[in-house]
Amino acid sequence: MSADPRAAAAAAAQWLGAREHFIDGAFCPSADGERRQVLDPATLETIAEVAEGEGADAERAITAARRAFDDSDWSRRPAAERAQLLEALAALIERDADALARLETVDSGKTVEESRWDMGDVASVMRYYAARARELGPDAPLEAPAPNARSVVAREAAGVCAMICPWNYPLLQASWKVAPAIAAGCTMVLKPSELTPLSTLRLAELVREAGIPDGVFNVALGTGARVGAALVESPAVDLVSFTGGLASGRAVMAAAARTVKRVALELGGKNPNIIFADADLDRALEHVLEGALFHAGQICSAGTRLLVESSVHDALVDALAARLERIRLGHGLVEGTEMGPLISEPQRVKVNHFVLEALEAGAELRAGGVPATTGFDGAFYRPTLLGGCDASMRAVQEEIFGPVFTVERFDSEAQALALANGTVYGLAAGFFTRDEARIERVSRALRFGTVWVNNFNVYFAAAPWGGYKQSGVGRELGHAGLDEYLETKHIYRSFESSPLGWFGRR
């Protein structure tokens, strides 16, 4: 990795060719010519300038996707053909993985090692859904209620999909939507975050190189207020898949309700990580760190809400505080960096406000709690540990989206479960114990879409991902992720029928 991260960041951004909307197989400027500067979060310096869209650009992209779905044979092609295209796209991602990882790092701020892991996962998701596409079988027969009839159930593409992606995992989250949509035969308009559009634009170039037909995959750049809202509200869109915060998810659901379109929401989480006294504490400590601090804690599934049994509380908290103080912050392209910056200065202000409010409410600062000095001007924040917390604190209940742990004590399994489930969220949870009977009890009792036992933040293409309660609606990944993009149709055919003769005969 480069000793001159600014030069390396400039080189990574320069590798990107197109910086415009991608509509109907071609890159094109915004209707009003507006542009947006994209910043490196580690330096807050401009690394690229891209098109900034509005509703008219969203409508152009929707029209292209609508035409590709309605007027071409895309959705009716053999699923095996779509599988081949996904495999071709996976191969291109693997070919360009290192350059894509560098682009993702300068765009989002995470370390390049994390970005490389992401690129491997993106290719894996593409290959997984290529395999699922090949499994899409013929119509499933039903037993008809009449002897001279045939009844089948068909699975068909949902139609035109609007995909609104977050800034924390730009390409990975996009793959969770794009791959199953292609496998199903849908067409799509993808809106990346206006903060992190660069790797998505490169994906558009790879989509074209892979041979995916024009209009199937489109990218509309811009803000949620201008472009995202137009996508959600359009009657020409059949399905909206949104990943982001709870407040935005509520707005998406309300807007989509006006045209009663299908909605899949992957929203936030406040994810408990429970440490029982019989756990392997050394192993638990490593997973506590890894489960919360990748991408500076800007992960919807970050296990930043620690629940620690009283008898081991002090030992674990002391060890965690010592480790947090030793974490090396810096530019993601610098060798030895363990954690990069937050995405922006407003995000750092938000994180710091949560910390200050918790301290005013009685929390104890055990580590961090201050912006970090790294030699760069980016939005760096020290990994922070707040002890002495209780469930009434906002920092315990709300998603901070930063490297901030809160710690609560418990004295019994029942108390731990009550605390863990006492949240409006239900995305993910984890716990550490050696007790086999407890593993079964607690796994079933936790009201979360994913539960990790003696680990944290493990995800892969075959495992469904999504939340209970206000963490969302629907699932991504796994077979369930493909089902989101398929409609179910019943077809009933009579070969010979005898009318009842009911109307107008008496």
Side-chain angles (χ1 to χ4, degrees):
M1 285 184 280
S2 174
D4 183 358
R6 285 185 170 86
Q14 190 63 36
W15 175 70
L16 179 66
R19 304 181 182 202
E20 316 288 343
H21 308 284
F22 183 71
I23 298 174
D24 210 10
F27 290 95
C28 54
S30 294
D32 61 3
E34 192 172 340
R35 311 284 292 174
R36 168 183 288 272
Q37 292 183 334
V38 180
L39 306 182
D40 177 350
T43 64
L44 301 183
E45 296 171 359
T46 299
I47 52 173
E49 191 176 82
V50 302
E52 174 76 348
E54 58 174 355
D57 302 298
E59 288 299 331
R60 280 192 296 158
I62 294 167
T63 298
R66 190 79 260 169
R67 185 166 54 245
F69 188 80
D70 293 338
D71 301 337
S72 80
D73 66 346
W74 167 250
S75 66
R76 297 184 297 277
R77 291 186 185 186
E81 184 178 331
R82 298 195 296 273
Q84 288 178 339
L85 292 170
L86 282 171
E87 288 169 345
L89 187 54
L92 293 172
I93 289 165
E94 289 166 341
R95 181 197 71 188
D96 292 347
D98 190 66
L100 281 166
R102 289 173 175 272
L103 190 63
E104 193 90 315
T105 288
V106 300
D107 206 11
S108 68
K110 68 180 68 172
T111 66
V112 73
E113 191 64 27
E114 293 177 61
S115 295
R116 289 191 182 108
W117 298 335
D118 291 350
M119 296 312 114
D121 288 339
V122 170
S124 175
V125 169
M126 297 295 176
R127 294 194 188 281
Y128 175 81
Y129 281 108
R132 299 293 75 75
R134 287 193 166 91
E135 293 173 356
L136 290 173
D139 297 345
L142 294 177
E143 184 176 349
N148 296 314
R150 178 174 178 265
S151 183
V152 298
V153 174
R155 304 298 304 281
E156 298 180 348
V160 174
C161 305
M163 301 169 171
I164 302 174
C165 295
W167 49 258
N168 59 338
Y169 284 86
L171 205 54
L172 182 60
Q173 291 281 357
S175 74
W176 291 12
K177 304 177 190 300
V178 170
I182 289 175
C186 295
T187 62
M188 64 213 73
V189 180
L190 179 64
K191 192 203 86 65
S193 168
E194 65 274 18
L195 300 178
T196 55
L198 302 185
S199 59
T200 302
L201 290 173
R202 181 57 182 164
L203 177 63
E205 295 178 320
L206 298 181
V207 162
R208 187 165 60 180
E209 186 177 349
I212 292 172
D214 295 349
V216 169
F217 175 90
N218 306 274
V219 177
L221 303 172
T223 64
R226 298 176 72 189
V227 174
L231 293 173
V232 173
E233 293 168 4
S234 172
V237 169
D238 300 298
L239 179 152
V240 174
S241 178
F242 171 83
T243 300
L246 176 56
S248 297
R250 288 171 175 157
V252 167
M253 180 174 268
R258 298 188 188 107
T259 50
V260 198
K261 56 172 59 75
R262 294 176 63 178
V263 175
L265 302 176
E266 202 271 87
L267 306 178
K270 192 65 180 180
N271 313 290
N273 194 353
I274 308 170
I275 315 298
F276 288 100
D278 69 328
D280 179 336
L281 294 186
D282 290 336
R283 178 182 176 184
L285 176 62
E286 298 301 325
H287 286 299
V288 164
L289 292 162
E290 293 169 2
L293 295 183
F294 283 120
H295 200 5
Q298 298 170 120
I299 308 173
C300 59
S301 59
T304 54
R305 185 185 179 192
L306 295 182
L307 306 175
V308 186
E309 194 161 0
S310 290
S311 60
V312 296
H313 173 277
D314 292 351
L316 184 78
V317 170
D318 289 347
L320 179 57
R323 287 289 291 274
L324 292 179
E325 295 290 1
R326 298 201 299 268
I327 290 173
R328 291 170 295 191
L329 277 68
H331 197 292
L333 294 178
V334 172
E335 187 73 43
T337 295
E338 295 176 331
M339 197 177 88
L342 299 174
I343 187 65
S344 66
E345 183 59 27
Q347 183 66 14
R348 181 165 67 175
V349 170
K350 173 189 170 186
V351 169
N352 193 56
H353 180 74
F354 267 106
V355 172
L356 294 176
E357 185 180 277
L359 295 176
E360 290 176 2
E364 176 189 0
L365 183 63
R366 295 297 308 272
V370 292
T373 302
T374 64
F376 299 98
D377 295 328
F380 293 92
Y381 197 82
R382 288 298 315 172
T384 297
L385 178 61
L386 298 172
C389 295
D390 64 65
S392 68
M393 295 178 179
R394 201 165 71 94
V396 171
Q397 291 293 335
E398 296 186 22
E399 189 174 40
I400 298 175
F401 233 59
V404 180
F405 289 96
T406 62
V407 186
E408 301 163 82
R409 292 176 181 263
F410 69 87
D411 294 305
S412 68
E413 181 180 306
Q415 184 187 9
L417 286 169
L419 288 170
N421 287 330
T423 169
V424 299
Y425 294 107
L427 185 58
F431 64 97
F432 288 79
T433 183
R434 291 186 173 99
D435 187 327
E436 291 295 330
R438 173 179 284 148
I439 288 172
E440 180 63 22
R441 290 193 307 270
V442 174
S443 296
R444 302 295 178 178
L446 287 167
R447 297 282 295 164
F448 296 84
T450 294
V451 174
W452 293 292
V453 183
N454 294 327
N455 212 314
F456 211 97
N457 256 338
V458 179
Y459 55 86
F460 49 95
W465 181 257
Y468 288 24
K469 297 185 279 186
Q470 293 186 42
S471 282
V473 176
R475 292 293 183 270
E476 295 187 301
L477 299 180
H479 286 274
L482 179 58
D483 289 342
E484 295 288 348
Y485 295 91
L486 291 168
E487 288 280 15
T488 301
K489 176 186 286 183
H490 174 224
I491 303 171
Y492 181 93
R493 176 186 176 186
S494 289
F495 296 100
E496 211 179 284
S497 62
S498 300
L500 293 174
W502 178 261
F503 293 101
R505 299 290 298 273
R506 286 185 262 181

